[in-house]
Amino acid sequence: MKFTDLNLPEQVQRGIADTGFTDCTPIQEKTLPLALSGKDVAGQAQTGTGKTAAFLISLFTRLLKNPTGGETRNPRALILAPTRELVVQIEKDAQALGAHCGFVIQAIYGGVDYMKQRSALKEGADVVVGTPGRLIDYLKQKVYSLKEIEVLVIDEADRMFDMGFIADLRFILRRLPPFDKRQNLMFSATLNQRVMELAYEFMNVPEKVAVTPEQMTAERVEQVLYHVGRKEKFPLLLGLLRKEGMERTMIFVNTKREAEFLDERLNANDSPCRVISGDVEQRKRLRILEDFKNGKLPILIATDVASRGLHIDGVSHVINYDLPQDAEDYVHRIGRTARAGAEGKAISMADEDGAFHLEAIHEYIKDKIPVEWAEDDLFVHDFKRVKPKPKGQESRAKGPTHHGRKHPEGEKKAGEGEAKKRRRPRKKPAGEKPKPE
């Protein structure tokens, strides 16, 4: 099916043409006719299949067919997503697809200027894309109202449960107009029982749509697995980076500490990279992502905060330096490559700990990752070594300073210990009984 076959407003067709889309993806072909006819949709599709464009096209079409005449300053459409990165990506896609629709689109998420977002929301927005936490914050301050919402979109619904946002999500949904007075669209990588319970509670008899649920990973991703010892992982990683000629590579690890240590070692060995994790300040995180998208940064190290919602063209390789502890995260990690019909390669390393997660991953993807054995010449042993920082060193470095010298956390003020030493013990009055130990 082509987008021109659909009965879309001229403004929406122009936005689709500007982005270069011509043919519908399977999820778009199944959901768009239902959503454009006004039905509620609960869609299941793997990452990178175009579900964002599917709900944005439906949303813009509905708002254009029901003009308000500019009477309201409150949002008419609400898109909820679990992570900041996903919110930023959806807003970017919305600005591109809705460039000719004349709608004000506003992203609301934490980690950036609080008052700036508050003012923008108070001035008025037609479409709001946000994470639950900050949306609730502004809602309690009565900065905006949800009483005029015509379209609700919940993206990555399963991730809302995983990240503990379900209570916040229900708080927002209960303040919307009745479910039969609005259109509801929900997309998720898995439509499990708890996701469908949410759909039946807050949606109006949703049509359930699933695209290739039997194949969890993208078709064009070449997957390979290396069994390797913990001490051999970094020599193998360097060898792979040099052999494969990876122009734009994402490396996933399980912990922030491992990400920072890997970052130091790669930079010391002439492999420029940066780290994004949940603790990286939001503006810095966006700047790093922009450098990676523009090709200024060849390697991006990330924890699972970046495994969903990022659409970066041209990611040639994804490397699971640590195998994820959650099997579902494996699918989302490797989904950062081979997006929108492109091809890519996903390389995973299973060390002594990671091997325990393989069975769950194979069961989840309903397939086995092909195994390759690394030849000796693939390992790089003459690399520059970097000592890992002791645990807690960063927090001590951020402590208060005294005459230009940093004090460890909890350090006593100068002279305090000596003063205590000079104190004489109190003399006991005559006849006083000793206290029991």
Side-chain angles (χ1 to χ4, degrees):
M1 180 187 291
K2 294 186 179 295
F3 286 104
T4 51
D5 299 334
L6 298 166
N7 184 25
L8 298 174
E10 187 265 341
Q11 301 97 313
V12 177
Q13 287 284 16
R14 286 172 63 190
I16 294 171
D18 289 348
T19 54
F21 297 154
T22 54
D23 299 328
C24 295
T25 63
I27 188 65
Q28 292 166 353
E29 189 170 341
K30 286 192 173 186
T31 58
L32 278 172
L34 294 170
L36 292 172
S37 66
K39 293 182 179 179
D40 285 10
V41 175
Q44 175 186 356
Q46 61 201 30
T47 183
T49 54
K51 50 190 172 68
T52 303
F55 65 69
L56 286 174
I57 290 169
S58 304
L59 181 153
F60 290 142
T61 300
R62 183 179 177 97
L63 296 188
L64 286 169
K65 288 183 177 179
N66 301 308
T68 60
E71 297 173 1
T72 178
R73 299 171 65 89
N74 290 313
R76 300 174 59 200
L78 177 65
I79 304 172
L80 295 169
T83 66
R84 302 169 185 175
E85 282 71 27
L86 186 52
V87 168
V88 172
Q89 187 62 53
I90 293 172
E91 186 209 18
K92 184 180 177 183
D93 293 342
Q95 297 286 5
L97 284 168
H100 305 283
C101 297
F103 296 129
V104 177
I105 302 164
Q106 179 62 45
I108 302 294
Y109 54 94
V112 293
D113 196 312
Y114 185 90
M115 294 307 296
K116 187 177 179 181
Q117 285 188 358
R118 189 181 189 278
S119 299
L121 194 55
K122 195 168 186 177
E123 288 175 8
D126 299 294
V127 180
V128 170
V129 190
T131 51
R134 186 160 283 195
L135 282 171
I136 291 175
D137 196 359
Y138 292 144
L139 189 63
K140 288 181 177 178
Q141 297 177 37
K142 299 183 179 179
V143 175
Y144 71 107
S145 170
L146 293 172
K147 298 299 182 183
E148 297 169 41
I149 294 293
E150 300 172 38
V151 184
L152 167 71
V153 178
I154 303 174
D155 197 16
E156 301 286 7
D158 54 339
R159 193 66 166 174
M160 293 281 193
F161 283 94
D162 296 340
M163 297 180 71
F165 288 150
I166 192 59
D168 289 345
L169 185 61
R170 290 179 184 276
F171 180 91
I172 292 173
L173 297 181
R174 288 181 180 131
R175 280 150 183 82
L176 296 172
F179 60 80
D180 56 343
K181 301 294 183 183
R182 64 177 194 259
Q183 185 175 21
N184 306 281
L185 307 173
M186 184 173 72
F187 290 86
S188 177
T190 55
L191 293 179
N192 52 36
Q193 183 178 354
R194 58 183 183 176
V195 172
M196 289 311 299
E197 283 177 359
L198 185 73
Y200 293 134
E201 183 179 356
F202 292 102
M203 299 174 74
N204 186 20
V205 194
E207 295 278 349
K208 186 177 178 180
V209 175
V211 178
T212 61
E214 70 281 353
Q215 183 180 0
M216 298 303 296
T217 56
E219 294 180 9
R220 294 177 178 267
V221 179
E222 179 190 349
Q223 300 176 65
V224 60
L225 174 69
Y226 290 100
H227 286 277
V228 62
R230 190 178 297 109
K231 293 182 179 180
E232 296 176 319
K233 283 169 72 175
F234 186 71
L236 177 59
L237 175 64
L238 274 183
L240 289 169
L241 288 171
R242 294 176 184 179
K243 177 191 173 186
E244 299 273 346
M246 306 177 186
E247 295 179 2
R248 193 171 296 172
T249 304
M250 292 189 73
I251 302 176
F252 284 99
V253 294
N254 289 344
T255 65
K256 185 194 78 161
R257 191 166 188 268
E258 183 64 44
E260 291 171 348
F261 187 32
L262 187 59
D263 173 49
E264 290 180 4
R265 283 182 287 180
L266 284 174
N267 279 301
N269 287 275
D270 303 320
S271 297
C273 59
R274 297 291 297 275
V275 173
I276 62 168
S277 65
D279 291 345
V280 176
E281 194 264 331
Q282 185 65 20
R283 286 190 184 88
K284 183 179 179 182
R285 201 191 301 187
L286 293 174
R287 189 165 60 248
I288 292 171
L289 286 173
E290 196 61 33
D291 288 344
F292 186 64
K293 290 179 182 179
N294 294 336
K296 296 178 183 177
L297 183 68
I299 301 172
L300 182 66
I301 303 171
T303 55
D304 281 310
V305 71
S307 65
R308 295 196 186 202
L310 293 182
H311 177 73
I312 301 171
D313 293 325
V315 175
S316 59
H317 293 74
V318 167
I319 299 177
N320 287 309
Y321 191 75
D322 296 329
L323 276 176
Q325 297 174 354
D326 186 344
E328 193 175 328
D329 285 332
Y330 174 80
V331 175
H332 293 291
R333 285 182 179 187
I334 71 171
R336 298 312 102 202
T337 185
R339 297 180 71 83
E343 295 183 354
K345 189 170 184 178
I347 301 171
S348 299
M349 298 183 186
D351 59 12
E352 296 87 338
D353 296 326
F356 289 103
H357 307 308
L358 272 176
E359 185 178 352
I361 291 172
H362 289 158
E363 185 178 345
Y364 184 76
I365 66 175
K366 300 179 176 63
D367 198 1
K368 286 197 173 184
I369 308 170
V371 176
E372 286 189 14
W373 301 102
E375 300 294 336
D376 292 340
D377 58 355
L378 192 55
F379 294 86
V380 177
H381 294 289
D382 57 342
F383 60 88
K384 295 177 185 176
R385 284 165 171 76
V386 176
K387 289 184 179 180
K389 291 180 181 178
K391 286 186 179 180
Q393 183 171 337
E394 273 194 21
S395 60
R396 291 198 300 269
K398 294 178 183 177
T401 60
H402 182 70
H403 300 299
R405 178 171 60 88
K406 292 186 178 180
H407 288 288
E409 191 174 343
E411 186 177 333
K412 297 174 184 177
K413 295 178 182 178
E416 185 179 334
E418 289 75 11
K420 285 185 178 179
K421 289 178 184 177
R422 289 194 296 269
R423 289 175 189 164
R424 295 179 180 178
R426 182 176 65 90
K427 290 183 179 180
K428 296 179 182 178
E432 182 178 335
K433 293 182 181 179
K435 292 182 180 179
E437 293 184 359

